[in-house]
């Protein structure tokens, strides 16, 4: 099953070369098929989901006024860019896929890398995938139930279909998944352009009352502003997505920093301009009361074409779900390759050169997460862990400036940027716990630390009985899915 095919020569017995030489076999590993445009689309398409269209009100609640609200949106974009630049140095210094995983492995050893993969693979990534799919399902089902909320069973059925379709596409072709990501990113930028242009027209017509004296009544407490930043940075989640696919990125030393410099400022401009457009048609109170801000805006400004917005929200959430699935599969694949997950998850499709087992595993977990009534609470409680690992990764950058001076750094950011990212991450870990301490945060911490038990049993001590059980299972799954172990990287 693991044998490599013998390459045929195009010249036999001194005869002339064949007019159609046989196609050269690719190495059984992830192929470099993601270019600069696809990299930008992955960042933009994953960051812009449904939040900016449905509920961008959390920042306004924390700031209390339009002016500070817009300032926080812009400042969050700057912070996300600084964090992504730190990741650009790490990604070009250690050109391996898997997001934070290889950097934590290099700087702090296998235990922290395992805890990151344990938490992210089993909870954070599939739960996020499920939430985005549920948003997509809700908006896809809405036209069939005019004037009322779609039944939960119908929404979940649409969400399950979304998960299945996205996993299928990603298993069949990296290029097809990239094309889909590019298309849906273009679609969400198109609807953002429509909203922004409509807002500019309203402002030109004199609808500026909500933007005059914009700083009056703004919040002054450090805690309120801090929580506004927390919610704003949540909307910028996804700035590190390119680090999950470094091995598939063409010319990563050039394209990774370029995609970051193009993608994140583009998202920042979109977020600020869309909020300005909303305030051109709604007062802050009306925005806070709206269940779906973009739909309310469309009903007031774009009627009778207001139906376009819900359609493009479906496109936006589908694209974000595709990006989430695409990157989650790579983390699972890398963790399996390093022996931190079962080996079958690191195998590559012999026909399509995709990490099919890892993608299927992530899709299966996401499907399980759409079954409960509400998983938003789950991902909210685990968000502190996500920022904790981001801060630890920025700290890894600082540590390796001293411990790994020998590594080539095509991109090198000022160390104070990494220090700032660490400080911001520490705050974002502590802010929700201090603001509203609940036992759920303790349960999340216990779950994360419980990974140490599995690490000791199956990785550190490597109990022979576990390998005896897994060997026939792996063999049968390998035959069923036609997958093989990846070739060693050069």
């Amino acid at each position: 099953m693991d044998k490599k095919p013998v390459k045929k020569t195009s010249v036999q017995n001194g005869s002339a070369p064949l007019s159609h030489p046989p196609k050269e076999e690719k190495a059984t590993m992830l192929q470099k098929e993601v270019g600069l445009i696809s990299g930008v689309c992955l960042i933009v398409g994953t960051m812009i989901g449904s939040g900016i269209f449905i509920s961008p009100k959390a920042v306004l609640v924390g700031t209390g006024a339009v002016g500070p609200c817009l300032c926080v949106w812009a400042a969050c974009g700057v912070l996300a860019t600084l964090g992504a630049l730190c990741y650009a140095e790490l990604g070009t210094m250690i050109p391996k896929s898997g997001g934070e995983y290889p950097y934590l492995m290099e700087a702090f050893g296998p235990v922290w890398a395992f805890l990151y993969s344990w938490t992210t693979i089993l909870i954070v990534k599939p739960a996020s995938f499920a939430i985005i799919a549920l948003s997509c399902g809700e908006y896809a089902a809405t036209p069939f139930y005019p004037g009322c909320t779609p039944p939960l069973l119908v929404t979940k059925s649409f969400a399950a279909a979304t998960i299945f379709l996205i996993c299928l596409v990603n298993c069949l072709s990296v290029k097809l998944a990239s094309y889909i990501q590019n298309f849906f990113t273009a679609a969400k930028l198109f609807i953002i352009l429509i909203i922004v242009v409509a807002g500019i027209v309203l402002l030109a017509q004199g609808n500026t009352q909500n933007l005059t004296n914009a700083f009056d009544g703004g919040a002054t407490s450090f805690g309120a502003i801090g929580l506004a930043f927390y919610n704003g940075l949540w909307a910028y989640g996804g700035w590190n997505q390119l680090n999950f696919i470094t091995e598939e990125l063409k010319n990563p030393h050039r394209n990774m920093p370029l995609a970051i410099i193009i993608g994140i400022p583009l998202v920042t401009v979109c977020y600020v301009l869309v909020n300005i457009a909303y305030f051109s048609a709604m007062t802050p109170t009306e925005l806070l009361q709206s269940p779906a801000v973009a739909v309310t805006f469309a009903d007031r400004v774009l009627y009778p074409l207001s139906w376009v917005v819900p359609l493009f929200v479906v496109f936006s959430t589908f694209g974000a779900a595709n990006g989430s699935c695409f990157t989650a599969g790579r983390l699972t694949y890398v963790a399996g390759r390093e022996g931190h997950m079962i080996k079958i998850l690191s195998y590559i499709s012999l026909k399509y050169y995709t990490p099919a087992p890892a993608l299927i595993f992530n899709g299966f977990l996401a499907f399980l997460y759409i079954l409960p009534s509400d998983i938003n609470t789950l991902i909210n409680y685990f968000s502190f862990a996500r920022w904790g690992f981001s801060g630890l990764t920025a700290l890894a950058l600082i540590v390796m400036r001293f411990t790994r001076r020998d590594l080539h750094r095509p991109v090198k950011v000022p160390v104070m940027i990494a220090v700032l990212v660490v400080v911001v991450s520490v705050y974002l870990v502590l802010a929700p716990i201090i603001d509203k301490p609940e036992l759920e945060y303790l349960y999340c911490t216990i779950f994360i630390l419980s990974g140490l038990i599995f690490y000791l049993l199956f990785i550190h001590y490597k109990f022979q009985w576990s390998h005896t059980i897994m060997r026939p299972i792996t063999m049968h799954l390998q035959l069923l899915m036609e997958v093989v172990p990846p070739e060693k990287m050069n």
Side-chain angles (χ1 to χ4, degrees):
M1 190 67 197
D2 298 345
K3 291 182 179 179
K4 303 293 183 292
V6 179
K7 297 178 181 177
K8 300 178 182 178
T9 59
S10 59
V11 181
Q12 296 178 355
N13 301 326
S15 61
L18 298 172
S19 57
H20 298 289
K23 186 178 179 181
E24 188 174 332
E25 295 287 341
K26 297 180 181 178
T28 51
M29 59 192 302
L30 298 181
Q31 306 297 310
K32 291 185 177 293
E33 296 183 343
V34 180
L36 176 60
I37 293 176
S38 295
V40 172
C41 288
L42 180 64
I43 293 173
V44 175
T46 309
M47 289 176 72
I48 303 177
S50 60
I52 193 63
F53 302 111
I54 298 173
S55 182
K57 60 187 74 172
V59 176
L60 180 59
V61 171
T63 55
V66 174
C69 174
L70 297 177
C71 290
V72 167
W73 278 109
C76 287
V78 172
L79 287 172
T81 304
L82 295 178
L85 288 174
C86 292
Y87 276 55
E89 176 176 331
L90 289 164
T92 52
M93 180 175 67
I94 304 172
K96 293 182 179 181
S97 295
E100 289 89 340
Y101 180 85
Y103 318 139
L104 295 174
M105 176 78 81
E106 188 70 35
F108 302 120
V111 174
W112 282 107
F114 176 80
L115 290 179
Y116 167 76
S117 63
W118 163 263
T119 306
T120 308
I121 292 171
L122 295 183
I123 300 290
V124 176
K125 278 290 188 180
S128 298
F129 187 15
I131 288 172
I132 301 169
L134 285 168
S135 296
C136 182
E138 184 174 355
Y139 269 79
T142 296
F144 300 100
Y145 298 88
C148 61
T149 303
L152 195 57
L153 179 61
V154 174
T155 297
K156 290 185 176 183
S157 298
F158 272 101
T162 299
I163 291 170
F164 173 79
L165 182 59
I166 288 174
C167 287
L168 179 64
V169 166
N170 278 270
C171 287
L172 292 180
S173 172
V174 172
K175 281 188 176 180
L176 180 57
S178 295
Y179 290 152
I180 287 176
Q181 189 68 24
N182 297 355
F183 172 79
F184 284 105
T185 299
K188 66 182 70 180
L189 290 177
F190 176 72
I191 193 62
I192 284 174
L193 180 64
I194 290 177
I195 293 173
V196 169
V197 170
I200 291 172
V201 171
L202 288 175
L203 292 174
Q205 292 173 347
N207 294 285
T208 59
Q209 61 272 17
N210 295 324
L211 298 172
T212 54
N213 301 318
F215 288 86
D216 290 351
T220 55
S221 73
F222 179 78
I225 296 293
L227 287 174
F229 268 96
Y230 178 83
N231 289 300
L233 285 167
W234 175 260
Y236 281 93
W239 49 264
N240 61 341
Q241 295 302 291
L242 216 53
N243 294 76
F244 285 89
I245 62 159
T246 308
E247 293 169 28
E248 295 166 86
L249 193 62
K250 298 175 183 175
N251 193 5
H253 291 174
R254 170 185 175 270
N255 288 338
M256 177 174 283
L258 262 181
I260 288 168
I261 292 169
I262 295 169
I264 301 178
L266 177 60
V267 173
T268 304
V269 170
C270 287
Y271 280 176
V272 173
L273 292 180
V274 166
N275 274 281
I276 291 173
Y278 290 156
F279 289 123
S280 70
M282 287 176 275
T283 66
T285 302
E286 289 171 332
L287 188 144
L288 291 173
Q289 292 175 345
S290 172
V293 179
V295 175
T296 303
F297 178 88
D299 288 338
R300 294 187 179 190
V301 180
L302 302 177
Y303 187 83
L305 297 176
S306 54
W307 57 270
V308 170
V309 170
L311 174 64
F312 276 85
V313 171
V314 173
F315 289 169
S316 181
T317 50
F318 190 91
N322 181 70
S324 177
C325 176
F326 191 91
T327 56
R330 273 59 186 176
L331 171 58
T332 308
Y333 158 80
V334 172
R337 187 177 65 188
E338 297 295 330
H340 283 183
M341 288 286 159
I342 56 175
K343 276 294 180 185
I344 188 68
L345 295 178
S346 69
Y347 285 15
I348 299 289
S349 170
L350 194 58
K351 186 175 182 181
Y352 303 112
Y353 301 98
T354 59
L359 291 164
I360 293 170
F361 179 74
N362 180 61
F364 175 72
L365 289 180
F367 175 78
L368 293 181
Y369 282 128
I370 67 172
L371 299 179
S373 58
D374 179 30
I375 57 168
N376 285 280
T377 307
L378 174 69
I379 199 67
N380 287 340
Y381 286 131
F382 269 92
S383 64
F384 85 96
R386 181 155 65 175
W387 282 112
F389 285 117
S390 295
L392 202 60
T393 304
L395 182 61
L397 173 62
I398 300 170
V399 169
M400 284 191 283
R401 287 286 180 90
F402 300 97
T403 61
R404 297 304 309 271
R405 295 175 184 270
D406 57 308
L407 291 176
H408 176 54
R409 291 170 169 84
V411 176
K412 192 171 183 179
V413 300
V415 72
M416 285 309 300
I417 291 179
V419 172
L420 177 62
V421 173
V422 172
V423 171
V424 170
S425 298
V426 169
Y427 171 77
L428 293 170
V429 169
L430 298 177
I433 300 174
I434 294 173
D435 178 63
K436 193 178 179 182
E438 294 181 2
L439 277 176
E440 281 77 3
Y441 292 115
L442 177 62
Y443 300 151
C444 294
T445 304
I446 292 172
F447 173 83
I448 295 169
L449 295 178
S450 69
L452 292 172
I453 299 172
F454 289 85
Y455 179 84
L456 288 172
L457 292 178
F458 300 109
I459 298 170
H460 183 72
Y461 290 112
K462 296 181 180 178
F463 286 148
Q464 188 60 40
W465 60 266
S466 64
H467 295 283
T468 304
I469 294 172
M470 284 306 302
R471 193 174 293 115
I473 296 174
T474 300
M475 183 186 69
H476 284 94
L477 288 174
Q478 185 180 358
L479 292 169
L480 177 66
M481 293 187 284
E482 296 183 350
V483 292
V484 294
E487 292 186 6
K488 297 287 185 182
M489 294 177 63
N490 293 328

